[in-house]
């Protein structure tokens, strides 16, 4: 009953009830869906079905979901959204560091999952070439290294700009501390995330209307940061 | 009054000295004229020296005086008076007195110092033996026992024990000696014990035998025992390390023939310091064991929490996702889709309910508060009913049932045994491929009724066989979803029926789970008129 034209989503979960709920919803939202129960099935379907997005559970009967991420990342950058009952920081960080794009903890809301799938697909459609990134009042011109907030030029230090650039090129994605440190300061800094927190605080001071309650660069507790471009992902401000 | 009834122990020496003097006098008196004064005097001197060497200096002095008087009275003219006619005899008497006093004193003091030397040597030996015995003990409680044994041996005492204060009460940690050595302290003893601990001093008392007139026992405070013939005594020695009293050593009396009989304090002090160290080691070991136990309990708790949170969240996630789907505003679901979501919610809620039920059972099993409500039932009928009820679950498998005709009625809790078999059958369907055979058998053994669930699946990995009944244990790499509670609960329920449960791999492939419940012994047969329920 899946339409033959929509984006392809692979749902990997060992729980039939979860698979059924997710795929029924996806089918109704014009996605083409395939289900996999085990890691091996997931890898086989990945090759034959060529999904645009993968929804992956970490606890699989044959091997760990983390291994699935590793094997897929060797071949491609297909967005992977982790959907797992494991909600610990360490689980999130290791999945994201291995290349997962997003992480949702069970129990989850179907609406939120659908929103995250849309975000993943939108980034897939967006070309990687530098251009102008806009969200809310924030405008980042990657070609001319210019940042404007509500049409006013913002003065950033080189490191602040480099950090913002990493966020802007990965909008709506959870970026772990390790990824950000690696991309901005280089591999020799390892897991030293002290500078990172300082620079995120500076960026927020310059960009956020209220740096105590950021709307652009939000904290993923214990994991990292995320630049919000899609309004449906905005955290509750209540 | 007490003194009239109880013999004075110290008087014994004097009485015997007086008696032997009288005897010697009576023996010599008839020959007073044949035996010269010299021989007579020397014989009395010999007696004096003997008494001094056996009963000590004071008895010796006493003998010196009475033999002198006896010599004067019975042997020196004029007879039967204390007058002395011959001045030479006066000198002889004086010299005799001086020689016997000096001789007696020397003898008794050399005897004392010899005894002292013997005791010191024995003390050293005991201390050495003790420290050797204690240093060889790796187990602290064993060390305390070795210490008590050494005390019993060194003092030839009826018993010895080490007591420590645990949660405000004095408790026996180790003991050695006769049957009485392991007793709990009585009121009298507790008073002395607490005094020893609070003052840090040696405390104790003695108890006499039944008095002749009043038929009762007299408790004699420590320090005054010498005056009484005691039936038993007890001494409490505080075990101190610095100013801290770690425990109390109880030494039961009367102590027998040992070098420490007269002055036990020296050896007791040596023992006390060794014992204090042993108690401290025991305390430290206990604290370490306690910390280890806490750590293990903590680990178990977090493993349990992890497993439970995973197993509770999984069905919850399905329920929330299905319910959330039904509430989507931008989608209009078909009746079929709606039914699937509702069914999913119901199934997962039931799964959650089973999990919670299993968890509750497990906690009841582990806390020992399981109380089977037993009645007489036909086990074969129970097996048939469970297999019938589970048909929806076992639809994918070829299930056969083989129930022996001669199964007697069994006294059991129907619901619990039903749950045991349900868990086993569910387990078999979960862990074996669809289409494979499952056989459920029930038959009597010699003293038990056995129910088996035999599958032809992949079997149980050897390393998991032992642990398969542990709560939350799941076979690694297994494709089935389970909580690891079913088998643990099943085994717990069978145990609550005084039965046993085991699992094994069949040589021809597949696993065999079995449980056996005790058959009623003849006098336990259901009373006539009892209805056997199916």
């Amino acid at each position: 009953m899946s339409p033959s034209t929509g984006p392809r989503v692979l749902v990997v979960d060992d729980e039939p009830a979860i698979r059924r709920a997710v795929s029924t919803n996806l089918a109704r939202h014009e996605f083409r869906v395939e289900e996999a129960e085990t890691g091996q099935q997931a890898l086989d379907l990945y090759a034959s079905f060529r999904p645009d997005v993968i929804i992956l559970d970490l606890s699989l009967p044959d091997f760990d979901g983390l291994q699935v991420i590793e094997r897929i990342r060797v071949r491609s950058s297909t967005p992977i959204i982790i959907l797992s009952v494991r909600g610990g920081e360490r689980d999130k960080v290791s999945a994201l560091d291995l290349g997962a794009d997003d992480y949702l903890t069970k129990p989850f809301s179907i609406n939120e999952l659908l929103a995250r799938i849309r975000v993943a697909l939108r980034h897939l459609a967006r070309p990687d070439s530098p251009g102008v990134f806009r969200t809310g009042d924030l405008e980042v011109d990657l070609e001319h290294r210019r940042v404007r907030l509500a049409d006013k030029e913002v003065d950033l230090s080189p490191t602040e700009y480099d950090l913002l650039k990493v966020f802007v090129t990965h909008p709506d994605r959870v970026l772990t501390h390790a990824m950000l440190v690696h991309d901005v300061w280089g591999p020799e800094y390892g897991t030293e995330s002290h500078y990172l927190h300082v620079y995120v605080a500076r960026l927020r001071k310059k960009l956020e209307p209220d740096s105590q309650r950021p709307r652009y660069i939000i904290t993923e507790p214990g994991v990292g940061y995320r630049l919000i471009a899609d309004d449906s992902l905005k955290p509750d401000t209540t | 009054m007490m003194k009239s009834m109880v013999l004075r122990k110290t008087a014994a020496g004097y009485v015997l000295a007086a008696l032997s003097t009288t005897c010697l006098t009576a023996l010599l008196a008839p020959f007073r004229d044949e035996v010269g004064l010299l021989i007579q005097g020397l014989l009395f001197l010999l007696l004096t020296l003997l008494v001094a060497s056996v009963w000590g200096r004071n008895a010796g002095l006493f003998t010196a005086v009475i033999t002198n008087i006896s010599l004067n009275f019975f042997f020196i003219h004029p007879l039967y008076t204390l007058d002395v006619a011959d001045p030479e005899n006066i000198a002889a008497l004086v010299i005799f007195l001086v020689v016997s006093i000096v001789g007696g004193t020397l003898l008794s003091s050399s005897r004392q110092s010899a005894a002292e030397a013997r005791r010191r040597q024995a003390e050293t030996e005991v201390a050495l033996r003790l420290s050797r015995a204690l240093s060889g003990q790796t187990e602290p409680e064993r060390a305390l026992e070795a210490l008590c044994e050494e005390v019993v041996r060194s003092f030839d005492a009826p018993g010895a024990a080490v007591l420590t204060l645990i949660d405000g009460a004095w408790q026996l940690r180790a003991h050695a000696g006769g049957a009485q050595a392991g007793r709990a302290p009585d009121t009298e003893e507790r008073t002395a014990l607490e005094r020893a601990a609070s003052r840090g001093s040696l405390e104790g008392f003695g108890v006499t035998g039944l008095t002749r007139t009043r038929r009762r026992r007299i408790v004699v405070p420590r320090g005054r025992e010498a005056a009484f013939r005691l039936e038993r005594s007890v001494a409490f020695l505080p075990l101190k390390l610095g100013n801290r009293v770690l425990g109390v050593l109880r030494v039961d009396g009367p102590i027998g023939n040992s070098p420490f009989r007269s002055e036990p304090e020296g050896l007791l002090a040596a023992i006390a310091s060794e014992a204090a160290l042993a108690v401290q080691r025991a305390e430290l070991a206990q604290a370490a064991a306690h910390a280890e136990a806490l750590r293990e309990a903590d680990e178990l708790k977090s493993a349990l929490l992890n497993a439970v949170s995973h197993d509770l969240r999984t069905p919850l996630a399905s329920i929330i996702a299905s319910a959330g789907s039904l509430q989507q505003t931008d989608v209009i679901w078909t009746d079929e889709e709606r039914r699937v979501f509702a069914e999913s919610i119901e199934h997962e809620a039931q799964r959650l309910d089973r999990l919670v039920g299993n968890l509750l059972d497990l906690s009841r099993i582990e806390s020992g508060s399981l109380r089977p409500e037993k009645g007489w039932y036909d086990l074969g009928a129970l097996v048939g009913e469970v297999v019938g009820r589970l048909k929806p679950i076992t639809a994918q498998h070829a299930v056969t049932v083989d129930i022996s005709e001669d199964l007697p009625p069994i006294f059991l809790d129907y619901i619990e045994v039903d749950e045991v078999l349900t868990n086993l059958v569910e387990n078999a369907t979960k862990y074996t491929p669809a289409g494979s055979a499952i056989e459920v058998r029930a038959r009597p053994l010699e003293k038990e009724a056995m129910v088996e669930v035999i599958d032809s699946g992949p079997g149980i990995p050897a390393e998991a066989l032992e642990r398969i009944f542990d709560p939350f244990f799941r076979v690694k790499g297994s494709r089935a979803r389970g909580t690891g509670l079913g088998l643990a609960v099943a085994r717990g329920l069978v145990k609550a029926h005084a039965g046993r449960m085991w699992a094994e791999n069949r040589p021809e492939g597949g696993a065999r789970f079995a449980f056996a419940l005790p058959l009623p012994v003849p006098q336990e047969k259901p009373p006539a008129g009892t209805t056997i329920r199916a």
Side-chain angles (χ1 to χ4, degrees):
Chain A
M1 62 178 280
S2 295
S4 51
T5 51
R8 289 180 292 259
V9 181
L10 174 60
V11 180
V12 188
D13 201 303
D14 64 335
E15 286 289 322
I18 297 273
R19 286 202 306 272
R20 195 159 50 227
V22 172
S23 51
T24 309
N25 274 283
L26 288 176
R28 265 316 177 87
H29 287 87
E30 312 298 312
F31 291 102
R32 280 177 282 170
V33 190
E34 284 287 344
E35 296 178 13
E37 191 183 346
T38 66
Q40 193 52 52
Q41 276 179 26
L43 292 175
D44 293 348
L45 277 169
Y46 173 74
S48 59
F49 177 57
R50 296 252 138 236
D52 298 309
V53 177
I54 299 168
I55 296 167
L56 179 66
D57 183 12
L58 289 181
S59 337
L60 297 174
D62 50 351
F63 47 82
D64 199 288
L66 293 179
Q67 286 170 274
V68 178
I69 304 177
E70 270 182 317
R71 294 196 200 178
I72 289 176
R73 276 291 165 267
V74 172
R75 291 184 263 175
S76 83
S77 58
T78 308
I80 298 173
I81 300 172
I82 302 297
L83 183 60
S84 171
V85 81
R86 297 192 216 155
E89 284 173 22
R90 242 186 308 162
D91 293 308
K92 289 184 180 173
V93 170
S94 51
L96 293 167
D97 277 345
L98 277 172
D101 296 77
D102 210 340
Y103 201 112
L104 212 55
T105 311
K106 287 181 191 168
F108 61 100
S109 128
I110 280 284
N111 283 330
E112 189 172 1
L113 177 67
L114 291 170
R116 302 245 178 144
I117 294 172
R118 282 195 301 270
V119 166
L121 288 169
R122 205 163 36 245
H123 296 147
L124 207 61
R126 187 174 292 162
D128 267 351
S129 62
V132 181
F133 172 89
R134 282 191 195 85
T135 179
D137 289 338
L138 181 65
E139 187 185 299
V140 184
D141 185 340
L142 292 168
E143 218 163 340
H144 303 96
R145 287 180 74 96
R146 266 212 305 257
V147 179
R148 292 157 72 89
L149 192 65
D151 291 331
K152 266 197 253 160
E153 197 86 16
V154 183
D155 211 14
L156 295 183
S157 77
T159 309
E160 285 163 5
Y161 179 81
D162 287 346
L163 179 60
L164 181 61
K165 188 179 161 191
V166 178
F167 278 121
V168 163
T169 48
H170 302 88
D172 296 316
R173 268 189 58 181
V174 184
L175 299 173
T176 65
H177 299 136
M179 288 170 170
L180 289 165
V181 171
H182 179 275
D183 286 5
V184 178
W185 282 273
E188 63 272 23
Y189 277 78
T191 54
E192 184 63 61
S193 57
H194 177 66
Y195 286 110
L196 174 64
H197 300 311
V198 172
Y199 276 91
V200 167
R202 285 191 195 171
L203 268 184
R204 279 175 174 167
K205 216 167 180 181
K206 291 185 178 177
L207 303 179
E208 298 285 359
D210 176 0
S211 59
Q212 293 306 304
R213 294 166 70 185
R215 57 157 297 191
Y216 298 119
I217 303 171
I218 63 156
T219 303
E220 291 286 333
V223 176
Y225 299 96
R226 185 204 296 262
L227 178 76
I228 300 288
D230 188 295
D231 280 352
S232 64
L233 291 182
K234 214 182 282 175
D236 290 340
T237 42
T238 45
Chain B
M1 156 154 181
M2 277 200 293
K3 281 175 192 168
S4 66
M5 295 175 305
V6 186
L7 207 77
R8 292 195 71 147
K9 218 171 85 183
T10 42
Y14 293 93
V15 172
L16 284 169
L19 262 171
S20 49
T21 309
T22 313
C23 287
L24 190 59
T25 307
L27 215 69
L28 284 177
F31 310 102
R32 130 176 7 110
D33 297 328
E34 285 83 23
V35 183
L37 186 60
L38 183 62
I39 299 293
Q40 292 159 1
L42 285 174
L43 280 172
F44 277 114
L45 179 61
L46 185 63
L47 179 70
T48 308
L49 295 181
L50 276 174
V51 169
S53 76
V54 176
W55 284 289
R57 186 169 143 260
N58 289 343
L61 284 177
F62 171 72
T63 319
V65 172
I66 59 167
T67 48
N68 201 287
I69 293 168
S70 170
L71 199 62
N72 184 346
F73 201 79
F74 293 104
F75 299 92
I76 295 176
H77 293 276
L79 293 174
Y80 314 121
T81 70
L82 288 179
D83 294 340
V84 180
D86 194 342
E88 202 176 309
N89 281 350
I90 296 178
L93 274 179
V94 170
I95 292 166
F96 171 74
L97 187 64
V98 170
V99 168
S100 51
I101 288 173
V102 170
T105 308
L106 279 176
L107 247 178
S108 72
S109 75
S110 83
R111 170 187 149 272
Q112 234 172 15
S113 55
E116 176 78 8
R118 262 203 315 280
R119 202 177 57 238
R120 282 193 192 290
Q121 195 194 347
E123 260 177 38
T124 317
E125 276 170 18
V126 171
L128 199 69
R129 268 210 308 273
L130 200 62
S131 69
R132 214 175 278 157
L134 291 185
S135 64
Q137 292 300 338
T138 46
E139 264 177 68
E141 297 294 324
R142 246 326 271 140
L144 291 180
E145 246 166 61
L147 180 109
C148 293
E149 280 160 16
E150 192 52 48
V151 170
V152 166
R153 185 147 74 124
S154 321
F155 286 105
D156 188 19
V162 173
L163 297 106
T164 59
L165 201 57
I166 297 170
D167 300 330
W170 286 99
Q171 293 188 9
L172 206 66
R173 288 291 288 278
H175 63 90
Q180 277 294 300
R183 68 183 184 274
D186 59 24
T187 323
E188 206 81 55
E189 287 183 337
R190 214 159 30 237
T191 313
L193 172 63
E194 269 153 20
R195 211 164 43 222
S198 61
R199 293 187 189 167
S201 58
L202 181 62
E203 300 287 340
F205 58 88
V207 180
T208 65
L210 284 177
T211 57
R212 234 170 302 143
T213 46
R214 292 257 192 113
R215 309 302 299 165
R216 64 190 187 98
R217 296 172 196 281
I218 294 162
V219 175
V220 184
R222 185 172 172 80
R224 288 181 56 196
E225 301 101 323
F228 298 90
R229 175 163 293 171
L230 300 176
E231 192 171 88
R232 65 182 184 90
S233 69
V234 59
F236 292 98
L237 182 70
L239 307 179
K240 285 191 285 193
L241 212 64
N243 282 329
R244 215 177 125 227
V245 175
L246 295 170
V248 171
L249 172 68
R250 194 195 73 215
V251 183
D252 298 338
I255 53 185
N257 191 13
S258 98
F260 315 105
R261 198 188 166 96
S262 52
E263 284 171 55
E265 284 79 5
L267 179 64
L268 283 176
I271 287 176
S273 63
E274 283 288 347
L277 284 172
V279 171
Q280 193 193 34
R281 274 197 295 272
E283 272 182 3
L284 291 176
Q286 213 169 34
H290 186 63
E292 175 65 14
L294 274 184
R295 197 186 57 75
E296 273 174 16
D298 211 47
E299 252 174 33
L300 184 74
K301 220 185 286 172
S302 64
L304 202 123
L305 210 65
N306 268 338
V308 171
S309 71
H310 178 272
D311 293 339
L312 288 175
R313 274 198 187 128
T314 302
L316 271 179
S318 304
I319 292 169
I320 291 172
S322 302
S325 305
L326 285 173
Q327 286 184 326
Q328 296 275 35
T329 45
D330 54 341
V331 183
I332 295 161
W333 299 109
T334 64
D335 284 350
E336 170 63 12
E337 283 163 337
R338 212 180 281 282
R339 191 189 62 72
V340 169
F341 284 130
E343 198 182 78
S344 206
I345 292 173
E346 191 189 1
H347 279 168
E348 296 297 302
Q350 276 167 352
R351 180 171 155 199
L352 207 54
D353 181 53
R354 273 202 304 279
L355 174 67
V356 172
N358 271 339
L359 277 173
L360 288 177
D361 280 344
L362 193 72
S363 79
R364 269 202 294 268
I365 289 166
E366 295 205 329
S367 70
S369 61
L370 204 66
R371 300 272 174 276
E373 284 176 26
K374 293 183 183 174
W376 292 100
Y377 289 100
D378 179 346
L379 185 60
L382 186 152
V383 171
E385 195 197 289
V386 170
V387 173
R389 180 165 48 78
L390 291 179
K391 279 233 165 79
I393 298 176
T394 57
Q396 307 269 320
H397 291 80
V399 182
T400 50
V401 181
D402 177 11
I403 297 165
S404 159
E405 291 292 315
D406 32 273
L407 264 177
I410 295 182
F411 200 52
L412 51 79
D413 181 316
Y414 193 92
I415 296 175
E416 288 179 358
V417 175
D418 176 322
E419 196 178 338
V420 171
L421 186 59
T422 303
N423 283 353
L424 287 187
V425 174
E426 267 184 2
N427 201 60
T429 58
K430 261 191 228 167
Y431 293 92
T432 59
S436 65
I438 295 175
E439 189 182 2
V440 183
R441 278 196 233 163
R443 60 188 162 99
L445 301 177
E446 199 177 329
K447 287 176 178 164
E448 295 165 303
M450 179 173 69
V451 179
E452 298 161 281
V453 176
I454 299 163
D455 68 47
S456 34
I460 307 157
E463 71 276 5
L465 263 176
E466 273 307 303
R467 301 196 50 209
I468 200 159
F469 293 104
D470 290 354
F472 300 109
F473 177 79
R474 293 183 56 195
V475 174
K476 262 218 168 85
S478 123
R479 301 172 67 123
R481 296 163 297 118
T483 58
L485 283 177
L487 289 178
V489 168
R491 168 120 99 179
L493 293 175
V494 168
K495 274 193 178 157
H497 277 81
R500 58 201 178 94
M501 177 175 249
W502 66 99
E504 63 199 21
N505 283 317
R506 297 194 303 147
E508 57 271 48
R512 172 173 169 265
F513 285 84
F515 67 92
L517 302 177
L519 286 180
V521 289
Q523 65 268 29
E524 263 182 7
K525 285 266 166 60
T530 308
T531 39
I532 312 295
R533 288 162 288 182

